[in-house]
Amino acid sequence: RHSRVGATLDILTTPVIAFAGTEDSTVPPGELLGWARHTTGAFTPHLVPGGHLCSMEHPALLLRAALGHRVR
């Protein structure tokens, strides 16, 4: 199942960390901020080098960023 900003989703109360590739031609990085409306918790956007599969291109960057926001 594919999810897109603007789709009908339940509002989360948890923090959301969103990632986008700077060279993504499938979902433009500008759409990243739209995910903020899907949570009442903290929202942290991250732009990382790469395309739509930036998580596979730079997994260490995403892991470091996510671990930096872990619940303490």
Side-chain angles (χ1 to χ4, degrees):
R1 175 180 150 176
H2 298 281
S3 60
R4 301 267 314 181
V5 171
T8 302
L9 300 172
D10 291 335
I11 300 295
L12 302 171
T13 58
T14 59
V16 170
I17 304 167
F19 297 92
T22 56
E23 304 301 319
D24 190 341
S25 60
T26 303
V27 180
E31 291 188 23
L32 180 67
L33 297 179
W35 285 101
R37 71 174 172 260
H38 295 286
T39 186
T40 59
F43 174 75
T44 307
H46 288 277
L47 286 176
V48 295
H52 191 67
L53 299 177
C54 62
S55 61
M56 295 176 75
E57 296 168 18
H58 302 286
L61 286 175
L62 276 68
L63 182 60
R64 245 189 322 274
L67 289 174
H69 292 281
R70 68 185 182 274
V71 176
R72 300 181 198 278

